[in-house]
Amino acid sequence: MLTFLLVSAFANTAFSNTVLAKDVPFAIAIHGGAGTIQKDHFTPEKEAAYRAKLKESVEAGYTVLEQGGTSLDAVATAINVLENSPFFNAGKGAVYTHDETHEMDASIMDGKNRQAGAVAGVKHIENPINLARLVMDESVHVMLSGAGAESFAHSQGVKLVDNKIFDTDHRYKSLQRAKAKMKKAKQQNKDYQAAHFALDTEYKVGTVGAVALDKFGNVAAGTSTGGMTNKRYGRIGDSPVIGAGTFADNASCAVSATGHGEFFIRYNVAADICARVQYQGKSIDQAGKEVIHDVLMPVGGTGGVIIIDSKGNISLPFNTKGMYRASKSTSQVTYVGIFKDD
Ligand code: ASP
């Protein structure tokens, strides 16, 4: 009798989970940046630490969804985990500008109503994605920059932090390497543009982002970054630009990008992927592959995207050696990838 009861209780649980998974899908995907990420650059310990942090981020976001939170909350929660880690180029691990400071960009978009918020060139905000969310929720604007964004933060009770909290040794060394390479190119009489173009991908990419679908059928996307190593003159990348680095619309999909921002802005990458889904009826796999491989690759635009649609499908295309990434959904256990063949 007891056996029967146990079996029947198990069957009921399994059945109700199946029904939930089938009827109310929810899902999340995250990235920690694309780039020249190769297995031989990692010790086993370092690789394990990166994988653990990606897993922690995707599972933190998934838990929010599981508990009935919105896709916006899940996206911000997952991104906070990555911003708070020195491993990724956002928040604590942000790269250095030419002047040896850190300037960060972030944006978030709600697929339910196309509301969006973004900040660009902020220096004293610990979690820029949260400020982007405040811009969306509490201001009448979409994008705020620099000192103005920080004075808005102050008015919202956000603590301003010392720029030095974003200092890390490995990013400082990377800045020095980038400067040395630019100097050498100059000595070889290369002009600034040619020298910059010749710089390895590693100095131009790195970001974090998340896309999610919640139980209410709404998608959202968010992206947060320190931008490009050795950047000058208040350079802003694609990450805070709605349509380029971030886009979300329930009618098509939600996208967060990572890659050489100048290309992602000029090719309007995130919105182009969603437009192909909406107007050409393409799957997110097909649309993502076309833009990342067929559009960006031939012109030298390196990077990748994470995409989710309102059915909970996930696609993670990139044209670089690797991309830090993870996903989890009601129909898929946690996946974590770093290298191409993961
Ligand atoms: N897109 C970012 C930028 O150009 C970098 C990255 O996402 O990898 O600022």
Side-chain angles (χ1 to χ4, degrees):
M1 182 61 181
L2 181 64
T3 317
F4 170 76
L5 283 177
L6 283 175
V7 168
S8 117
F10 175 76
N12 280 339
T13 315
F15 177 71
S16 55
N17 281 345
T18 312
V19 170
L20 181 67
K22 190 164 163 279
D23 288 349
V24 190
F26 56 94
I28 181 163
I30 59 144
H31 71 79
T36 40
I37 304 161
Q38 285 164 268
K39 188 122 185 140
D40 56 1
H41 296 169
F42 289 80
T43 61
E45 295 74 27
K46 184 176 167 190
E47 185 183 329
Y50 272 77
R51 286 186 188 277
K53 195 47 84 175
L54 293 166
K55 186 166 187 280
E56 182 189 333
S57 163
V58 82
E59 292 191 341
Y62 189 83
T63 301
V64 171
L65 298 170
E66 200 169 36
Q67 291 173 348
T70 65
S71 48
L72 284 170
D73 288 338
V75 160
T77 299
I79 289 180
N80 285 165
V81 172
L82 301 173
E83 285 178 331
N84 294 341
S85 160
F87 293 169
F88 309 99
N89 178 14
K92 290 275 158 43
V95 297
Y96 283 82
T97 65
H98 185 78
D99 299 328
E100 304 193 350
T101 62
H102 311 274
E103 294 177 3
M104 292 159 286
D105 308 329
S107 67
I108 193 161
M109 187 166 186
D110 186 350
K112 183 173 65 178
N113 50 20
R114 283 208 192 199
Q115 289 292 321
V119 292
V122 293
K123 291 184 178 171
H124 305 100
I125 305 297
E126 201 164 4
N127 292 106
I129 195 70
N130 299 349
L131 185 56
R133 176 87 187 263
L134 280 172
V135 172
M136 177 174 84
D137 291 342
E138 306 297 336
S139 87
V140 293
H141 305 296
V142 170
M143 188 191 288
L144 301 179
S145 70
E150 295 188 343
S151 115
F152 170 73
H154 181 67
S155 78
Q156 293 293 317
V158 175
K159 191 174 106 204
L160 300 185
V161 296
D162 193 324
N163 195 251
K164 294 224 167 308
I165 75 155
F166 305 109
D167 285 355
T168 53
D169 199 40
H170 67 292
R171 297 294 187 201
Y172 189 72
K173 287 189 180 133
S174 174
L175 173 70
Q176 301 313 320
R177 282 199 303 274
K179 283 188 173 178
K181 287 187 184 221
M182 292 296 285
K183 193 168 163 198
K184 195 163 162 207
K186 201 173 163 198
Q187 282 158 357
Q188 292 165 346
N189 288 327
K190 275 204 185 124
D191 67 25
Y192 188 85
Q193 275 174 305
H196 179 79
F197 198 75
L199 258 192
D200 318 81
T201 305
E202 108 179 60
Y203 303 107
K204 297 171 184 162
V205 299
T207 284
V208 310
V211 292
L213 165 71
D214 61 29
K215 290 182 180 176
F216 315 104
N218 297 316
V219 294
T223 312
S224 179
T225 190
M228 188 181 272
T229 303
N230 201 26
K231 63 186 180 181
R232 306 175 84 166
Y233 315 120
R235 179 262 187 192
I236 306 292
D238 61 309
S239 306
V241 179
I242 297 302
T246 303
F247 193 77
D249 186 347
N250 284 356
S252 52
C253 55
V255 178
S256 168
T258 164
H260 191 162
E262 280 68 10
F263 287 86
F264 282 65
I265 292 174
R266 291 194 286 118
Y267 286 85
N268 200 31
V269 166
D272 187 4
I273 290 171
C274 293
R276 285 166 198 253
V277 171
Q278 186 169 0
Y279 304 123
Q280 298 184 325
K282 294 199 166 132
S283 67
I284 56 169
D285 260 343
Q286 181 66 22
K289 192 178 142 287
E290 282 177 8
V291 175
I292 295 302
H293 294 282
D294 305 342
V295 176
L296 287 178
M297 273 288 262
V299 294
T302 47
V305 287
I306 54 173
I307 320 171
I308 205 163
D309 67 17
S310 52
K311 294 188 199 77
N313 296 311
I314 289 170
S315 188
L316 315 167
F318 55 96
N319 63 28
T320 44
K321 293 227 162 72
M323 180 169 85
Y324 298 110
R325 58 201 186 277
S327 62
K328 185 171 185 176
S329 78
T330 36
S331 56
Q332 177 225 298
V333 295
T334 307
Y335 159 80
V336 176
I338 297 181
F339 313 112
K340 209 169 231 165
D341 51 7
D342 266 327

